[in-house]
Amino acid sequence: MKENKEIIEKLNNLLADFQIYYQNLRGFHWNIQGKEFFELHVKFEELYTDAAMKVDEIAERILTVGGTPLHSFEDYLATAQIKPVKNIHNGETSVKTVVANLEQIVKQEKELKEIAGEASDSGTEDQMSALIEEQEKTLWMYKAWLK
């Protein structure tokens, strides 16, 4: 039971970070300016659409393992390690923030995967493996864009 409680707590931490990441992406999408506008406006929409789907999947996993997902912005702000950003209009700054946010998320997913494996929670472990694989590729692409 203790292991399940720890998994639920870590999943809720991940959920909170995804919600802040999602909102940061919305702000980048709305506020991007400059020569990269057309390219990044579309990319940020792709990222926030994907993040919204992942938020739902993480919340459903929390319910599946017997927890209650966080569901207020107050809880997200109190729990998340990722911080909200505002008034970012520059492409390079916004992409650097995306990379930093995703690196934090992947770090959490790796920790959660390990904890889930130790607890024989193959569902959570598999979910984290899939997220890590996809997001590491996304990180590679956005880091390449920054070079």
Side-chain angles (χ1 to χ4, degrees):
M1 190 65 159
K2 178 186 172 223
E3 294 165 339
N4 220 25
K5 185 177 178 184
E6 184 178 15
I7 290 170
I8 291 165
E9 180 183 339
K10 297 286 187 186
L11 282 166
N12 264 315
N13 293 344
L14 183 61
L15 177 65
D17 275 330
F18 254 104
Q19 289 283 34
I20 302 301
Y21 170 62
Y22 169 84
Q23 199 59 45
N24 285 344
L25 290 166
R26 294 299 304 240
F28 300 151
H29 172 75
W30 293 328
N31 294 304
I32 190 69
Q33 297 176 1
K35 293 178 183 177
E36 300 101 358
F37 172 83
F38 292 106
E39 172 188 4
L40 291 178
H41 184 75
V42 170
K43 288 299 178 188
F44 294 143
E45 184 173 6
E46 289 172 7
L47 287 172
Y48 76 66
T49 300
D50 181 67
M53 186 176 64
K54 286 177 173 55
V55 161
D56 193 53
E57 292 168 358
I58 293 164
E60 288 173 354
R61 185 68 197 162
I62 294 167
L63 291 163
T64 300
V65 297
T68 302
L70 298 177
H71 55 275
S72 75
F73 282 104
E74 180 181 16
D75 288 341
Y76 299 146
L77 290 170
T79 304
Q81 292 180 22
I82 292 174
K83 298 301 176 206
V85 296
K86 59 184 178 179
N87 299 323
I88 294 178
H89 306 280
N90 174 279
E92 184 172 349
T93 303
S94 59
V95 172
K96 284 181 178 178
T97 305
V98 167
V99 167
N101 288 180
L102 271 179
E103 286 176 336
Q104 174 60 38
I105 286 170
V106 169
K107 178 183 173 191
Q108 284 182 277
E109 291 165 347
K110 287 179 177 180
E111 292 171 6
L112 187 49
K113 179 180 180 284
E114 185 176 324
I115 292 166
E118 292 168 1
S120 299
D121 178 353
S122 59
T124 300
E125 187 177 19
D126 290 347
Q127 183 182 28
M128 292 305 110
S129 291
L131 289 171
I132 292 164
E133 180 180 352
E134 180 183 334
Q135 290 162 345
E136 284 180 337
K137 183 176 181 181
T138 301
L139 276 168
W140 160 67
M141 290 188 282
Y142 281 87
K143 286 178 179 180
W145 186 91
L146 286 167
K147 290 186 179 181

